[in-house]
Amino acid sequence: MRLAYYLAAGALATASMGTSAQGWSPQKNIEIVAGSAPGGSIAYTYVSQRPGDAHYLYIASSGMLSNHIVGSSSLSHADFTPIALLYEDHAVFMVPTGSSIKTGTELADRLKKDPRAVAIGFANAYGSSRHMAAALLMRTLGGNPRDLKPVVFKGSAEAITAVLGGHLDLAIVGAVNAIPHVSAGRARVIGVAAPQRLSGPLAVAPTWREQGVDLVYGNWRAVFAPKSLTPAQLAFWENALRRMSEAPEWKADLERNHWTEHFKIGAALHKELEQDYAWLKTTLVDVGLAK
């Protein structure tokens, strides 16, 4: 809902600046679609069926790529018009306060010795960004991601509940999911897959790089439109999202949710999507979820 608000504000500002003189501005209500399990594939299809109509926007994550690679969706980024990459939501590795795993180094040592000795919970599918964070950790440690003991849940809240209840050893979630439990003393974060430490209650949690493991990985969010937009339609939304990304309110929201700004449009965006798709395919093959 917050993102929809910022998008609307950016669109209004762009239209008021005379962007419509380029040949296009919205002529009716904008429909913003955000897919999530179990309706993610339906959301993809809904937007893809409106080629050339820039009144429909889709808020996507890296799951758009992995779902196509593992075969759970026939649609990929190539079936849409990428408009802008917005931010990264880096993975945090969380254990209950009473866990015998005190640091990321201890977790790494345990995984090296016996990957199946650590039950790892995450949302919301095998091959998700949180699953990939675990796979990348194992691969960085020199092990085989297929040897992990993953447990998938419909949502991060369920994975956290299982960890706090002692049914799992570790949950891999977003920072915003972990903070309430860390603040309440129920859990601690032993490793953050971000380039630098996060702020607030997670400021004491070290990054993986600080602990000698070169692991930086997160789940990006991006805005896509249906395929076959005109250059004028694409330019309108690129300008609107650029204005949104520069708004103080948007930057405050990024900081509040511990998201890392990662704004890209145009050729840089297309290059990153292609690189991410290739990397994900290799990693998903390693995990045994793709061929």
Side-chain angles (χ1 to χ4, degrees):
M1 291 297 292
R2 297 280 295 177
L3 180 54
Y5 166 78
Y6 292 127
L7 276 170
L12 286 171
T14 302
S16 68
M17 291 293 290
T19 307
S20 58
Q22 298 179 7
W24 190 86
S25 63
Q27 302 301 308
K28 60 181 181 180
N29 288 342
I30 302 300
E31 191 163 340
I32 301 172
V33 181
S36 182
S41 295
I42 297 172
Y44 289 150
T45 303
Y46 178 77
V47 176
S48 70
Q49 291 174 340
R50 289 154 174 82
D53 193 340
H55 296 91
Y56 293 86
L57 300 177
Y58 185 76
I59 311 302
S61 70
S62 55
M64 171 184 276
L65 310 186
S66 57
N67 287 342
H68 181 259
I69 294 169
V70 303
S72 61
S73 173
S74 62
L75 300 170
S76 75
H77 61 294
D79 297 293
F80 299 87
T81 300
I83 297 176
L85 189 65
L86 301 178
Y87 63 83
E88 292 270 359
D89 181 14
H90 290 101
V92 302
F93 292 64
M94 188 187 84
V95 298
T97 302
S99 172
S100 60
I101 303 173
K102 304 299 182 183
T103 66
T105 302
E106 290 182 10
L107 172 63
D109 290 341
R110 191 171 300 192
L111 287 172
K112 289 178 183 177
K113 184 179 297 184
D114 181 10
R116 299 290 296 177
V118 181
I120 305 171
F122 53 82
N124 54 9
Y126 292 112
S128 69
S129 65
R130 305 314 183 200
H131 188 191
M132 290 301 93
L136 185 57
L137 172 62
M138 195 64 207
R139 194 164 70 177
T140 303
L141 295 173
N144 189 338
R146 299 190 189 199
D147 295 335
L148 290 170
K149 187 177 181 180
V151 183
V152 65
F153 293 86
K154 292 181 180 179
S156 294
E158 294 181 11
I160 291 173
T161 298
V163 167
L164 296 181
H167 306 293
L168 297 176
D169 301 295
L170 170 76
I172 302 178
V173 297
V176 72
N177 303 113
I179 284 175
H181 306 284
V182 172
S183 299
R186 294 188 292 266
R188 66 176 180 274
V189 171
I190 58 172
V192 180
Q196 59 189 23
R197 288 199 184 195
L198 302 178
S199 59
L202 298 186
V204 297
T207 66
W208 277 108
R209 282 180 171 173
E210 289 180 73
Q211 301 177 87
V213 180
D214 189 16
L215 174 60
V216 175
Y217 188 66
N219 184 15
W220 49 254
R221 298 294 192 279
V223 178
F224 290 76
K227 204 168 184 178
S228 302
L229 259 61
T230 67
Q233 290 172 326
L234 178 58
F236 177 89
W237 282 120
E238 286 180 341
N239 288 332
L241 285 164
R242 184 187 292 108
R243 290 183 181 281
M244 183 195 82
S245 72
E246 295 168 351
E249 297 86 352
W250 172 252
K251 292 184 180 297
D253 251 15
L254 292 178
E255 183 175 355
R256 187 180 303 112
N257 290 286
H258 302 278
W259 296 330
T260 302
E261 185 174 14
H262 192 62
F263 186 81
K264 287 189 178 182
I265 58 175
L269 168 58
H270 285 268
K271 181 179 179 179
E272 181 148 339
L273 288 173
E274 293 301 326
Q275 291 176 337
D276 202 16
Y277 187 92
W279 179 87
L280 275 170
K281 187 168 185 178
T282 299
T283 306
L284 286 164
V285 168
D286 285 350
V287 177
L289 294 176
K291 296 181 180 180

